[in-house]
Coordinates of all heavy atoms in Angstrom, one line a residue:
E236 N -19.1 8.8 -3.6 CA -18.8 10.2 -4.1 C -17.7 10.7 -3.2 O -17.7 10.6 -2.0 CB -20.0 11.1 -4.0 CG -19.7 12.5 -4.6 CD -21.0 13.3 -4.6 OE1 -22.1 12.8 -4.3 OE2 -20.9 14.5 -4.9
G237 N -16.7 11.3 -3.8 CA -15.6 12.0 -3.1 C -14.5 11.1 -2.7 O -13.5 11.5 -2.1
A238 N -14.5 9.8 -3.1 CA -13.4 8.9 -2.8 C -12.2 9.2 -3.6 O -12.3 9.5 -4.8 CB -13.9 7.4 -3.0
L239 N -11.0 9.1 -3.0 CA -9.8 9.1 -3.8 C -9.4 7.7 -4.1 O -9.6 6.8 -3.3 CB -8.7 9.8 -3.0 CG -8.9 11.2 -2.5 CD1 -7.7 11.7 -1.7 CD2 -9.2 12.2 -3.6
F240 N -8.7 7.5 -5.3 CA -8.3 6.1 -5.6 C -6.9 6.2 -6.3 O -6.5 7.1 -6.9 CB -9.3 5.4 -6.4 CG -9.4 5.8 -7.9 CD1 -8.6 5.2 -8.8 CD2 -10.2 6.9 -8.3 CE1 -8.6 5.6 -10.2 CE2 -10.3 7.2 -9.6 CZ -9.5 6.6 -10.6
T241 N -6.2 5.0 -6.2 CA -5.0 4.7 -6.9 C -5.2 3.3 -7.5 O -5.5 2.4 -6.8 CB -3.8 4.8 -6.0 OG1 -3.6 6.0 -5.5 CG2 -2.5 4.4 -6.8
A242 N -5.0 3.2 -8.8 CA -5.0 1.9 -9.4 C -3.6 1.4 -9.5 O -2.8 1.9 -10.2 CB -5.6 2.0 -10.8
I243 N -3.4 0.3 -8.8 CA -2.0 -0.3 -8.6 C -1.9 -1.5 -9.5 O -2.7 -2.4 -9.5 CB -1.8 -0.7 -7.2 CG1 -1.9 0.5 -6.2 CG2 -0.4 -1.3 -7.0 CD1 -2.0 0.1 -4.8
G244 N -0.8 -1.6 -10.3 CA -0.6 -2.7 -11.2 C 0.6 -3.5 -10.6 O 1.6 -3.0 -10.3
I245 N 0.4 -4.8 -10.5 CA 1.5 -5.7 -10.0 C 2.2 -6.3 -11.2 O 1.6 -6.7 -12.2 CB 0.9 -6.8 -9.1 CG1 0.1 -6.2 -8.0 CG2 2.0 -7.7 -8.6 CD1 0.8 -5.3 -7.1
G246 N 3.6 -6.4 -11.1 CA 4.4 -7.0 -12.1 C 4.4 -6.2 -13.4 O 4.6 -5.0 -13.4
R247 N 4.2 -6.9 -14.5 CA 4.4 -6.3 -15.8 C 3.4 -5.2 -16.1 O 3.6 -4.4 -17.0 CB 4.3 -7.3 -16.9 CG 2.9 -8.0 -17.1 CD 2.9 -9.0 -18.1 NE 3.8 -10.2 -17.7 CZ 4.0 -11.2 -18.6 NH1 3.6 -11.2 -19.8 NH2 4.8 -12.2 -18.1
S248 N 2.3 -5.1 -15.3 CA 1.3 -4.0 -15.5 C 1.6 -2.8 -14.7 O 0.8 -1.9 -14.7 CB -0.1 -4.6 -15.1 OG -0.2 -4.8 -13.7
T249 N 2.7 -2.7 -14.0 CA 3.0 -1.6 -13.1 C 2.8 -0.2 -13.8 O 2.1 0.7 -13.4 CB 4.4 -1.7 -12.5 OG1 4.4 -2.8 -11.6 CG2 4.7 -0.5 -11.7
F250 N 3.6 0.0 -14.9 CA 3.6 1.3 -15.6 C 2.4 1.5 -16.4 O 2.0 2.6 -16.6 CB 4.9 1.4 -16.3 CG 6.1 1.5 -15.4 CD1 7.1 0.5 -15.4 CD2 6.3 2.6 -14.6 CE1 8.1 0.6 -14.5 CE2 7.4 2.7 -13.7 CZ 8.3 1.7 -13.7

Side-chain angles (χ1 to χ4, degrees):
E236 185 176 354
L239 302 179
F240 76 89
T241 298
I243 302 167
I245 303 300
R247 68 183 64 186
S248 67
T249 294
F250 292 111

